[in-house]
Amino acid sequence: MRTGSPDSGHRPRRLRPRGLRARLLVAFVLVTVLGAAAAAWSSAGSASTALVTSTQQRITEGITGRLGAITPQLTYPPDQDALDRLRTAAGGNTVVTYRDLRSSAGTGTELVPGTLRAAVRSGNRLVAQRITAGSRPWLVVGTPITITAPDGTRTPSGIEVYSVHDLTDVDRQIDGLTRSATVTAALALPLAVLLALLAAGSVLRPVRELRDTARRLAGGDLDARSPPQGADELADLTVTVNEMAESVQTSMLAMARMQADARRFAADVSHELRTPLSTLTAVVEVLATTADGMEADARESAQLAIVETHRLVRLVEDLMEVARLDAGTAQLRVEEVDVAGAVRNCLRARGWPDRVEVVAPDGILLRLDRRRLDVIVANLVGNALRHGAPPVRVAVSAAREDVRIEVTDRGPGLAAHVVPHVFDRFYKADAARTRTPGSGLGLAIALENARLHGGDLTAGNADGGGARFVLSLPRNREDS
C-alpha cells in the first residue's frame, strides 16, 4: 500500500501511520488487545484480591479457633507456663506477652510492627496487617486474650498474642495469575490483526470510490456519481455525495454570479460611503452640541440634518448587512438562549416595554445567534409601532419541531397587494411614507436572518384585524 506521494523519498520517514487502512488497523488492534488485556488483568486482579483475602481469613480463623480452645483452661494472672501453652497452641512464628513475661518461637517474631501492637492494645480487638521484610511478604496477626465472666461480660486479661505468617506462596500464585493475563492478551493479537484487515477492506472499498468521485468533481466533472452499495452509513454517505453533486451542478452558475455581484456591491459601498459618512457623523455631533444656541430657523435645519444623517448611518449599516447576507459571509454565533428573556431584553433596550404586551413563558431554550434574534424582533416590533396601532403584542410559543414568535398589532393590517412584497428591499406600502425613519430594508434583513437560522418569517393579517408576523425557528437545527 502506498502511504506517500511519489516524491516522498526525499523527505524524512514519518513514524505516524498516514494511510486510513493503517490507522484503522492500528486502532482496531489496539482496541481489541487493550480490551482483552483489561479483561484479563481485571480478572487476575479480582482473583489475586480474593486469594489474599481468603488466605488472611483462613489464618485469622485458625488462630482464633486454636486460642479459643485453650483460653478457658488458663488461670489469671498467667505465669510463664501459661504463656508457653498459648504460644504452642497458636503454632508457627508466635510471640505471647503479658506485662514483663514473654514467650516466643520461630523466626520473624521480631517483625511485629509497633503500630499493630498499639492497635491491639487500644482497640482490644484482633488486627491483621501485611508487611514486607527482607523482600518477602508477611501477614502479622495480633489479638488480645479476654476473660469472660459468668454473666457474659468480657474484660481484657492483658495477654497479647502476635503470629507472623510467610505469604511467599501466595505471591507466587499471584505472579502466575499475572502471567496468565499477559499470555491471554498476547493470544488476542493475531485474531485482532485478521479481523482488522477484514474490517478495513470492507470499509475502505466504498471510501476509495467516493474519493475517486470527489476528485472528478474537483476536476470539473460535475456528472461524476458513485453507485450506492448496501444499506449502511457508507451507502447513505454515497447518496448524500450524489445529491450534493447534483445540487452543485444545478446552482454553480447562479451562485457564482450572486457572489460576484454581492462582493462588488459590498466593496463599492464600503469604499464610497464609509469615509465621508464618518466625517459627516463627526460634523453632526459637533452641530448637535451647538444647535440649542441657534436661531429658530437655523436650529430646525440643524435638527433636520442630524435626523437625516442618523437615518443615513442606519441605511448604510443595513446595506452592509444585506451585502454580507448576499455574499454568504454572514456567520452565526450560536449559543443557548432563553427566548422569552431575549425578547424582553430587546424591548427593554429600546424603551418599548410599556408599549408592547409580551406573552412568553420562561424556560424555552433554543440554540441561536442572540444578536440576530434581537435584530429580527426589533424590526418586527418597530414596524408594528410605526405603522400599526396599539396594542402591539409579542407572543412566544414552543412546539415539538420549532419555536414561534408572533408579533401582532391592531392597525389597518396589510393590503392584499402588499403581502407578496412586504419583504422586498426598499418596498414601502404607502408611497406617501417616503420619509419614514426606516430604510425599507428592515423586514428583508429580518427574513434573511430567520433563514440563516434555518427558519422562516411570514406576514399576514390577524383574525381580529391588524398585521401579523410569525417568526419560526427550528428546535433541532444543526450548527454550521
Side-chain angles (χ1 to χ4, degrees):
M1 179 186 66
R2 188 179 65 180
T3 60
S5 58
D7 61 343
S8 61
H10 299 287
R11 299 175 184 175
R13 182 180 295 273
R14 299 177 64 180
L15 298 179
R16 178 173 173 267
R18 299 177 62 189
L20 183 56
R21 178 187 294 274
R23 280 181 282 174
L24 283 174
L25 182 63
V26 171
F28 197 95
V29 169
L30 285 177
V31 169
T32 305
V33 173
L34 289 176
W41 280 100
S42 177
S43 300
S46 299
S48 301
T49 302
L51 179 61
V52 173
T53 302
S54 63
T55 301
Q56 178 174 320
Q57 183 177 359
R58 175 176 54 81
I59 293 174
T60 55
E61 288 178 352
I63 293 174
T64 303
R66 291 192 296 272
L67 293 177
I70 194 172
T71 50
Q73 307 172 14
L74 301 177
T75 59
Y76 302 94
D79 54 14
Q80 184 64 43
D81 181 64
L83 297 187
D84 292 340
R85 292 171 62 192
L86 279 174
R87 186 256 306 160
T88 303
N93 302 325
T94 303
V95 56
V96 182
T97 63
Y98 176 76
R99 296 182 181 176
D100 296 334
L101 299 179
R102 174 185 178 92
S103 176
S104 62
T107 59
T109 56
E110 70 280 358
L111 299 178
V112 179
T115 55
L116 185 136
R117 295 179 186 271
V120 170
R121 291 169 184 170
S122 61
N124 194 31
R125 59 185 176 85
L126 185 145
V127 179
Q129 180 177 345
R130 290 194 67 188
I131 64 173
T132 301
S135 301
R136 297 173 63 183
W138 301 84
L139 175 65
V140 183
V141 179
T143 181
I145 302 299
T146 58
I147 302 173
T148 303
D151 60 358
T153 61
R154 305 178 67 182
T155 58
S157 67
I159 303 173
E160 299 171 2
V161 179
Y162 300 96
S163 184
V164 182
H165 300 266
D166 190 354
L167 296 182
T168 301
D169 291 339
V170 176
D171 265 17
R172 290 196 186 100
Q173 297 179 53
I174 293 175
D175 291 341
L177 293 173
T178 303
R179 286 192 297 271
S180 298
T182 304
V183 172
T184 300
L187 291 177
L189 180 60
L191 180 61
V193 172
L194 178 60
L195 293 177
L197 289 173
L198 295 176
S202 63
V203 170
L204 293 180
R205 189 179 305 108
V207 172
R208 284 194 296 268
E209 294 177 359
L210 282 176
R211 177 201 61 191
D212 295 339
T213 300
R215 285 178 176 175
R216 291 172 59 192
L217 289 171
D221 182 8
L222 298 182
D223 293 323
R225 302 291 186 273
S226 295
Q229 299 176 1
D232 55 9
E233 289 80 1
L234 286 174
D236 293 340
L237 177 60
T238 302
V239 172
T240 302
V241 171
N242 290 339
E243 292 175 351
M244 177 193 68
E246 185 71 25
S247 177
V248 170
Q249 188 176 26
T250 55
S251 62
M252 183 65 73
L253 293 177
M255 183 181 297
R257 184 170 56 252
M258 180 187 68
Q259 289 178 345
D261 292 342
R263 284 194 297 268
R264 184 171 56 253
F265 173 78
D268 291 344
V269 170
S270 176
H271 179 71
E272 298 296 334
L273 292 181
R274 273 187 172 174
T275 300
L277 190 59
S278 298
T279 303
L280 185 58
T281 301
V283 172
V284 165
E285 290 177 354
V286 175
L287 184 61
T289 60
T290 60
D292 293 337
M294 297 180 180
E295 295 181 0
D297 292 340
R299 183 170 59 253
E300 182 179 354
S301 299
Q303 292 173 346
L304 179 61
I306 293 170
V307 170
E308 290 300 321
T309 300
H310 289 162
R311 180 172 178 269
L312 180 59
V313 170
R314 288 193 296 271
L315 174 61
V316 171
E317 290 175 350
D318 288 345
L319 287 173
M320 296 303 299
E321 181 68 11
V322 168
R324 284 189 290 268
L325 292 168
D326 286 347
T329 58
Q331 296 182 350
L332 292 177
R333 296 184 177 179
V334 178
E335 59 181 309
E336 191 169 66
V337 176
D338 184 337
V339 179
V343 170
R344 293 189 178 96
N345 289 339
C346 172
L347 301 179
R348 190 180 303 111
R350 291 161 178 82
W352 293 340
D354 296 336
R355 304 174 60 189
V356 180
E357 176 188 358
V358 179
V359 180
D362 294 326
I364 300 178
L365 302 179
L366 201 61
R367 288 187 58 77
L368 47 79
D369 187 321
R370 185 188 299 270
R371 184 187 69 83
R372 294 187 183 277
L373 176 64
D374 181 86
V375 170
I376 298 173
V377 174
N379 275 310
L380 297 180
V381 175
N383 186 72
L385 292 173
R386 284 194 300 270
H387 306 308
V392 175
R393 184 172 183 267
V394 180
V396 180
S397 60
R400 188 181 68 171
E401 300 294 333
D402 61 1
V403 173
R404 295 190 174 188
I405 301 176
E406 180 179 312
V407 180
T408 57
D409 62 66
R410 285 296 180 265
L414 302 174
H417 70 279
V418 171
V419 173
H421 305 287
V422 71
F423 296 110
D424 292 350
R425 297 171 184 177
F426 299 107
Y427 180 81
K428 294 182 182 291
D430 187 354
R433 295 205 306 264
T434 57
R435 305 307 295 173
T436 55
S439 64
L441 293 173
L443 292 178
I445 292 174
L447 176 62
E448 292 298 330
N449 279 320
R451 290 175 176 173
L452 196 61
H453 284 86
D456 197 10
L457 181 59
T458 58
N461 291 311
D463 294 337
R468 175 176 178 266
F469 290 84
V470 179
L471 169 65
S472 176
L473 298 171
R475 304 198 72 159
N476 297 318
R477 186 187 67 83
E478 294 184 1
D479 295 345
S480 57

